Amino acid sequence: MIRILCLHLAENQASYRYRVEQFLPYWKEYGIDMQPLRITSKSYPEKLSIALRSGEYDYVWLQRKPLSTIFTSIIARKTRLIYDYDDALYAVESYLNGKPKPTQPGSKQIIRRLNTALKYSSLVFAGSDALAEYARRFNPEHTFVVPTAYRKLLEPPSPKTTDETVTIGWIGNTGNLYFLKMLDQAASTIQQSHPSVRFSVMSGKPPEGLKTRWEFTPWSKEAEESWLDSIDIGIMPLEDDEWSRGKCAFKLLQYMAHGKPVVASKVGANTKAVIHGISGILADTEEEWAKAFEVLILNPEQRKNMGQESLRHFLETYERQRVQEQMATILHDHFRQTKIHHSR
């Protein structure tokens, strides 16, 4: 049994829920014992104590939050360190105006801590190709792309009948509402030419200052599934910048798991999550977004077929068990290779 201590962010963070928590009930099936421990609320002496005791585990899995360089170096000396990340912490967030604070992505402090964690890690799990490319500058041998996963639905999604209103949906945190302005003109044009089409958003607050009328559903864990069932097309607009290129296409996986066709910006991990013309449509310009909407609104059969392909691609690549098997294989191979060295 491989023993792992997982140091993670707050339990309400999506990064924790989908890259740590959803795997916890199943690790024993793979010969792995993982103990989660929230690191964000700990004092300096508590963090030091955790670092000094880290040799009691075969691995310490540091999830997303890069620790100060002193703690990282202590852990890496005591045991094998895994660093797992799903955001471009080396870049400034797309929607940030001005200089990032020391604790924000793109700040000197975060970049220094991130680079140290990558350099000292025995394994790096990067959520997208862009993140892996960055990590390989510091750790070329042991960086692996591990996509963010999502669970398979208990019952397969069933497509809605063709005569119902078409609903185009976006789900995400309030910071990412920023990206909706990119397709506002396209959406608003569609709203005028197809008055029966609904635009629905699930988030912490409604979008503001847009021409498009978005119907707002407050996000909650309980309401998420039924909202995802209720939409016909899922969307993910992004800017083509360093922050967005590091993203892991997570909202696309949610739509795909529910058998929805998707329209997404041709940026980063989106280009792998969407099989263009088969499971969805990749769009760059306002015109491409409007055309994609038009095609899917007017062709219920195409929506249905793309939705089925979306689900198939999800099950083959991003489903929880698939991703967990991938991680377990990497861990066991690495553990076998390094066991002799560590037991000396």
Side-chain angles (χ1 to χ4, degrees), residues 146-188:
V146 175
T148 299
Y150 194 69
R151 69 196 173 285
K152 181 167 65 177
L153 302 189
L154 295 173
E155 288 182 25
S158 54
K160 282 165 33 178
T161 52
T162 56
D163 58 349
E164 291 183 51
T165 304
V166 175
T167 302
I168 296 169
W170 180 93
I171 187 170
N173 67 41
T174 53
N176 289 328
L177 287 165
Y178 165 88
F179 295 113
L180 290 178
K181 74 177 190 322
M182 292 178 53
L183 52 81
D184 190 36
Q185 186 56 54
S188 142

Side-chain angles (χ1 to χ4, degrees), residues 63-83:
Q63 205 278 311
R64 195 179 185 278
K65 183 178 173 60
L67 295 174
S68 70
T69 52
I70 177 107
F71 296 137
T72 303
S73 57
I74 292 170
I75 293 167
R77 278 205 303 272
K78 298 270 180 191
T79 187
R80 305 165 186 85
L81 177 65
I82 299 168
Y83 184 67

